[in-house]
Amino acid sequence: MAELSPLSAAALRTRCDPACFTFDTTASLPDHPGDLGQARAVEAIRFGLAMGHTGYHVFVLGEPGSGKHATTFRLLRERAAAEPVPPDLCYLHNFDEALKPQLLTLPAGRGGALRACMQTFIRELGPALESALGSDTHTERVEALQNAHKEREEGALRELGQACAADNISLLQTPEGFVFAPTREGEVMSPDAFEALPEAERKEIEGRVAGWSDKLEDLLNEFPGWRKAVRESIERAEQEALTPAVSHLLRGVREAHADLPEVLGFLDAVAHDVVDSAVNGTMLEEEDEDVAEAEESTRYHRYQVKLLVDHSASQGAPVVFENNPGYGNLIGRIEHVVQHGNQVTHFNLIRAGALHRANGGYLVLDAERLLTQPYAWEGLKRSLRAGEIRIEPPAEAQGWSGTLTLEPEAVPSALKVVLIGDRDVYYLLMEHDPDFADLFKVAADFDDDLPRTADSECEYARLMALLARSAKLLPIDRSGVARLVEEGSRLAEDAGRLSLNTRALSDLMREADHHARLRGLQATGRAEVEAALAARARRCNRYPLRVRESILDGTTLITTSGERAGQINGLVVVELAGERFGHPVRITATVRMGEGDVVDIEREAELGGAIHSKGVMILTAFLAARYARHQPLSLSASLVFEQSYAPVEGDSASLAELCALLSALTQIPIQQRFAITGSVNQFGEVQVIGGVNEKIEGFFDLCRERGLDGSHGVVIPAASVRHLMLREDVVEAAAQGLFHIHAIRTVDEAMTVLTGMPAGEPDAKGVIPKGTLNHKVATVLAEMTAARHAHADAEGSAGARQHRRRHGV
């Protein structure tokens, strides 16, 4: 069997020698680009951004704090700076269909200029119209037309009156209208006089009156045509008066936008609508409306230009990050105002979304925030699939609203969307959303760590220089950098790797900078980093302190001296609010004669997770395969985490459970000065586990409180040795021989360390030496099997005798 001596102190922590650095402080180091160890992810992002085909949007995935956002934005800005500025987006009133505003795209900066020109036009339009219609020339012309019409009507009536007077019939005008009356000697006859006339004369007069009434009716029927003609003449006069005035106002706008046919067409429509509205009197009606807004914004709002996206100040393609990707913030929205108790809207109330602002460039979204917003994810997919951005409220998008609203013309989309999220979100979308794989074909997976080499340590120092400058921190000297490198390995849970969690490193650097400034230093050193770590540990030590106190006062039963069969100190890790703590837990096993079943009490009580239950099943299989290949496994056993009242998950205690079971089976006591962690496979090989540093330190803290005497130690898998980055006090205790770490590869090695008894390996003939653990296990199992058979035979004989007595044999 291999040598089972404790690990040397040098193996417990891989230190970084400050002498390997050639700088004094990070102030002399150039900045790192910030993508250390992320070559694969950077390549994927650049590929996705360069692909012009549809569906090649990018999903950036990785653990929180891995620098996904910073690296992504740096690459986006580098690429966007070399790309052209996209056009301005404007909406115009549709003079044919008012509910369907028209889209107008203009070169960058021209949209704002057009809007300013139209605002000036609107301010000057009212006075210009009043001036044109109030001029002496136009007024005299209109009065002349009206006077001529009046004279024509009066002349026609006068001629008719003169003609009927010659026939002794007078044309009279009363409040009820025109009437004819007979006359005699120039005087209108009274009714009595008319009645006194002979009947024949009366009938003759009535006939003449009827004739003249028909002529009057014919004349009056001609009056509407005359009046229509004069109105048309007046309208032509008004048009001839207004057209030069409107053309004069728009002349400067036309000259400034002569190269844009769409703008010229819009100006033609505006000029035509202004003249028509003024002539038809709708302008005057609008002037009479009682509204609270500015006059020009209500009377002439349809002549305004709604500048949806203004790129006048942009340089290169836009890079937009939408922090609140709700449906309206993403797709855009149409706002309403209340007028006279009703909600109304118009094209000036259209608001741009992030897709509009990023059109022609890049849009960055947080995947988890996007998915938590109602309709936002479906709205984004709809826009990307259709290749256009259509502003419609969610109700209209889902087809279940009958509210009348605007239907703005869709904006053709030409942008790249970059989603940033966790790996879990990416894989869930890939599995459950068929559209996701078609739209986001590029995955940029950020690494969590990188190999720790001399070169990578130097690059790590440059990364720290970048983080320090970005946060405006004091420079860090080489000793401080060396300590941060060591902490990077601790964060990576691997002495041979360095964590790329820049968020955690930045936080530690800020806290160390705080201590350096309190001490009036010009640079942050190792002592300040150690002080920051110690202060953080104190802030977060309530839970581990309470656990340790409960053990020390005897509330929680943990023994660190003596020996006992079937009892062992396991190690667990608890994670709270991002901090991890280890502490020991008592595991016990009991054995009795049975049929080979091992009862996991945690599982039976529904406190054991699936992985923990799997570990118990594996150790059961190991027992049967090693010790009961040629005979039944004639035992029943129970395993339990004592004083455990919370769910237990993971298989890192399966080695401790197996050792406790073997000890209970053989009644060979386990030395309680040890704690053990590790998982085991069906061949009895010990496998790597997580949280090894926290577990060792948790047991060390307890033993130190009770007094280290050189006997205490922890047994860990040999495969976990490369993960050791223990605290300095633990390493120092190990160097002084006060605390020991044993690395084992098999269950046999673990039992040898825990019991002091050699495990015993079979010789060439398969014989296990006496006085060894395995020989004891085989002997006990053989005895249990024999006892089980004897018990079965006794029960069989008793049954046979009872059968013979029942049948009188």
Side-chain angles (χ1 to χ4, degrees), residues 243-270:
T243 299
V246 176
S247 298
H248 175 73
L249 291 179
L250 292 175
R251 182 179 304 164
V253 186
R254 290 181 182 277
E255 292 175 354
H257 300 85
D259 57 329
L260 300 172
E262 297 87 351
V263 176
L264 297 180
F266 167 66
L267 297 178
D268 290 340
V270 168

Side-chain angles (χ1 to χ4, degrees), residues 475-733:
I476 308 171
D477 66 24
R478 64 176 69 184
S479 68
V481 171
R483 183 62 185 87
L484 289 170
V485 168
E486 294 172 5
E487 189 62 21
S489 288
R490 169 84 177 210
L491 291 173
E493 295 189 74
D494 193 330
R497 304 191 70 82
L498 293 171
S499 171
L500 293 175
N501 191 330
T502 54
R503 182 185 302 170
L505 282 174
S506 296
D507 289 345
L508 178 57
M509 291 167 61
R510 291 186 185 96
E511 293 167 20
D513 179 83
H514 171 71
H515 287 277
R517 293 181 187 274
L518 288 179
R519 298 173 183 178
L521 302 177
Q522 299 301 313
T524 302
R526 184 183 188 92
E528 288 69 49
V529 178
E530 293 282 7
L533 289 169
R536 179 183 295 180
R538 288 192 299 273
R539 291 195 300 270
C540 302
N541 74 346
R542 186 196 65 82
Y543 175 80
L545 184 60
R546 293 294 180 267
V547 171
R548 194 159 58 248
E549 288 176 350
S550 71
I551 296 173
L552 293 173
D553 63 20
T555 302
T556 302
L557 301 179
I558 298 292
T559 303
T560 55
S561 61
E563 57 185 20
R564 187 172 184 179
Q567 176 178 298
I568 194 169
N569 293 324
L571 293 170
V572 298
V573 170
V574 177
E575 184 169 355
L576 294 174
E579 297 293 329
R580 305 175 71 188
F581 315 103
H583 65 83
V585 60
R586 175 175 289 182
I587 300 173
T588 60
T590 58
V591 176
R592 57 204 172 275
M593 187 174 67
E595 297 181 356
D597 56 316
V598 177
V599 177
D600 177 11
I601 294 179
E602 304 297 327
R603 180 179 61 187
E604 297 298 324
E606 298 184 354
L607 289 176
I611 298 177
H612 176 262
S613 298
K614 175 185 175 183
V616 174
M617 294 176 186
I618 289 174
L619 69 87
T620 305
F622 164 75
L623 280 175
R626 171 176 280 196
Y627 300 111
R629 296 181 64 184
H630 305 295
Q631 62 182 10
L633 188 61
S634 303
L635 63 79
S636 290
S638 299
L639 293 169
V640 69
F641 280 63
E642 300 288 359
Q643 295 181 284
S644 173
Y645 310 106
V648 176
E649 182 59 302
D651 63 352
S652 64
S654 60
L655 175 60
E657 292 172 318
L658 179 55
C659 291
L661 186 57
L662 292 175
S663 172
L665 178 64
T666 60
Q667 287 301 298
I668 298 174
I670 291 176
Q671 299 179 58
Q672 300 300 298
R673 58 191 177 90
F674 288 111
I676 186 170
T677 183
S679 68
V680 66
N681 63 21
Q682 293 190 101
F683 300 107
E685 298 168 338
V686 179
Q687 302 168 142
V688 69
I689 46 85
V692 64
N693 294 298
E694 291 81 3
K695 291 176 178 179
I696 293 173
E697 291 166 357
F699 189 66
F700 171 82
D701 290 338
L702 175 61
C703 294
R704 181 173 58 183
E705 290 287 340
R706 286 180 169 172
L708 294 171
D709 58 9
S711 64
H712 300 102
V714 175
V715 179
I716 66 171
S720 294
V721 172
R722 65 189 304 270
H723 300 158
L724 292 177
M725 284 297 294
L726 294 170
R727 296 193 317 242
E728 289 289 357
D729 56 345
V730 182
V731 177
E732 181 63 25

Side-chain angles (χ1 to χ4, degrees), residues 754-778:
L754 294 173
T755 64
M757 177 181 288
E761 297 182 0
D763 57 18
K765 296 181 180 181
V767 178
I768 301 175
K770 292 183 179 181
T772 61
L773 178 72
N774 286 328
H775 183 272
K776 181 67 173 176
V777 173

Side-chain angles (χ1 to χ4, degrees), residues 239 242 270-283 303:
Q239 289 176 349
L242 293 174
V270 168
H272 185 267
D273 185 77
V274 168
V275 174
D276 284 353
S277 298
V279 169
N280 294 331
T282 56
M283 290 283 186
Y303 307 136

Side-chain angles (χ1 to χ4, degrees), residues 88-123:
D88 292 343
L89 300 178
C90 305
Y91 273 116
L92 308 174
H93 177 72
N94 188 336
F95 294 98
D96 296 324
E97 295 183 76
L99 294 179
K100 296 182 178 181
Q102 294 178 325
L103 175 68
L104 176 65
T105 58
L106 298 173
R110 302 290 294 277
L114 177 61
R115 179 179 63 176
C117 289
M118 294 309 296
Q119 288 174 341
T120 301
F121 167 75
I122 289 171
R123 285 195 301 271

Side-chain angles (χ1 to χ4, degrees), residues 36-42 59-69 366-368 371 419-432 436 442-450 497-501:
L36 179 62
Q38 306 295 358
R40 178 182 61 251
V42 170
F59 194 106
V60 178
L61 59 151
E63 291 299 317
S66 58
K68 304 186 298 294
H69 289 80
D366 183 274
E368 187 171 352
L371 294 173
L419 292 182
I420 302 180
D422 296 338
R423 293 187 177 93
D424 290 343
V425 174
Y426 174 79
Y427 292 124
L428 283 172
L429 288 171
M430 187 63 73
E431 182 175 357
H432 297 289
F436 179 73
V442 182
D445 195 351
F446 273 65
D447 275 315
D448 303 331
D449 49 43
L450 78 159
R497 304 191 70 82
L498 293 171
S499 171
L500 293 175
N501 191 330

Side-chain angles (χ1 to χ4, degrees), residues 70 121 171 197 201 211 284 317 386 417 426 570 664 770:
F121 167 75
L171 176 63
L197 293 175
E201 187 175 354
L284 299 178
V417 177
Y426 174 79
K770 292 183 179 181

Side-chain angles (χ1 to χ4, degrees), residues 21-278:
F21 299 120
T22 59
F23 59 87
D24 293 325
T25 69
T26 55
S28 61
L29 289 178
D31 283 344
H32 194 277
D35 54 4
L36 179 62
Q38 306 295 358
R40 178 182 61 251
V42 170
E43 179 185 356
I45 293 175
R46 285 179 171 156
F47 166 75
L49 299 183
M51 283 294 289
H53 299 284
T54 58
Y56 282 86
H57 302 283
V58 183
F59 194 106
V60 178
L61 59 151
E63 291 299 317
S66 58
K68 304 186 298 294
H69 289 80
T71 301
T72 300
F73 278 109
R74 179 178 62 81
L75 295 175
L76 287 175
R77 292 187 178 107
E78 287 177 0
R79 183 173 181 84
E83 295 181 349
V85 179
D88 292 343
L89 300 178
C90 305
Y91 273 116
L92 308 174
H93 177 72
N94 188 336
F95 294 98
D96 296 324
E97 295 183 76
L99 294 179
K100 296 182 178 181
Q102 294 178 325
L103 175 68
L104 176 65
T105 58
L106 298 173
R110 302 290 294 277
L114 177 61
R115 179 179 63 176
C117 289
M118 294 309 296
Q119 288 174 341
T120 301
F121 167 75
I122 289 171
R123 285 195 301 271
E124 297 175 352
L125 181 57
L129 295 179
E130 294 176 1
S131 175
L133 296 178
S135 65
D136 293 340
T137 302
H138 175 69
T139 301
E140 292 173 358
R141 182 178 178 182
V142 171
E143 289 178 351
L145 290 172
Q146 292 173 338
N147 292 335
H149 169 70
K150 182 178 180 181
E151 178 63 28
R152 183 181 182 185
E153 286 187 349
E154 292 176 349
L157 290 172
R158 187 167 52 252
E159 291 177 0
L160 181 64
Q162 292 173 353
C164 66
D167 199 15
N168 292 323
I169 300 295
S170 176
L171 176 63
L172 303 177
Q173 186 174 8
T174 68
E176 288 78 17
F178 292 98
V179 295
F180 288 98
T183 61
R184 186 177 296 276
E185 296 178 358
E187 296 292 333
V188 177
M189 296 179 63
S190 66
D192 294 337
F194 180 76
E195 291 294 333
L197 293 175
E199 181 178 355
E201 187 175 354
R202 289 199 310 270
K203 289 183 178 180
E204 187 270 336
I205 293 174
E206 289 174 353
R208 283 185 286 130
V209 169
W212 286 109
S213 295
D214 292 339
K215 292 180 181 180
L216 175 62
E217 183 178 358
D218 292 340
L219 178 61
L220 292 178
N221 287 337
E222 292 181 6
F223 280 8
W226 296 357
R227 291 169 184 170
K228 179 181 178 182
V230 74
R231 282 198 304 270
E232 291 175 350
S233 298
I234 293 174
E235 288 177 359
R236 283 194 298 272
E238 290 178 345
Q239 289 176 349
E240 292 172 1
L242 293 174
T243 299
V246 176
S247 298
H248 175 73
L249 291 179
L250 292 175
R251 182 179 304 164
V253 186
R254 290 181 182 277
E255 292 175 354
H257 300 85
D259 57 329
L260 300 172
E262 297 87 351
V263 176
L264 297 180
F266 167 66
L267 297 178
D268 290 340
V270 168
H272 185 267
D273 185 77
V274 168
V275 174
D276 284 353
S277 298

